[in-house]
Amino acid sequence: MSYKCSRCKRDVQLDEYGGVRCPYCGHRVLLKERSRDVKEVDAQ
């Protein structure tokens, strides 16, 4: 799953057993990337 570091804005890939930390700057706040798909919902 793809995440983005909130400090250095670089893409981060997390592995299963690694910690939640940016490997580039060491920051611990990562933002989950949103999909660019547009969903349509029928309003009833």
Side-chain angles (χ1 to χ4, degrees):
M1 186 166 290
S2 179
Y3 292 89
K4 187 170 284 223
C5 177
S6 66
R7 181 184 286 168
C8 68
K9 307 293 189 235
R10 294 178 81 173
D11 290 330
V12 177
Q13 294 291 328
L14 296 182
D15 50 351
E16 291 182 27
Y17 303 105
V20 181
R21 201 176 273 268
C22 176
Y24 305 107
C25 69
H27 197 59
R28 295 179 66 186
V29 178
L30 301 176
L31 306 172
K32 186 175 181 180
E33 288 289 307
R34 291 181 179 231
S35 67
R36 299 189 190 277
D37 298 335
V38 176
K39 297 180 181 179
E40 292 187 23
V41 179
D42 291 332
Q44 295 181 354

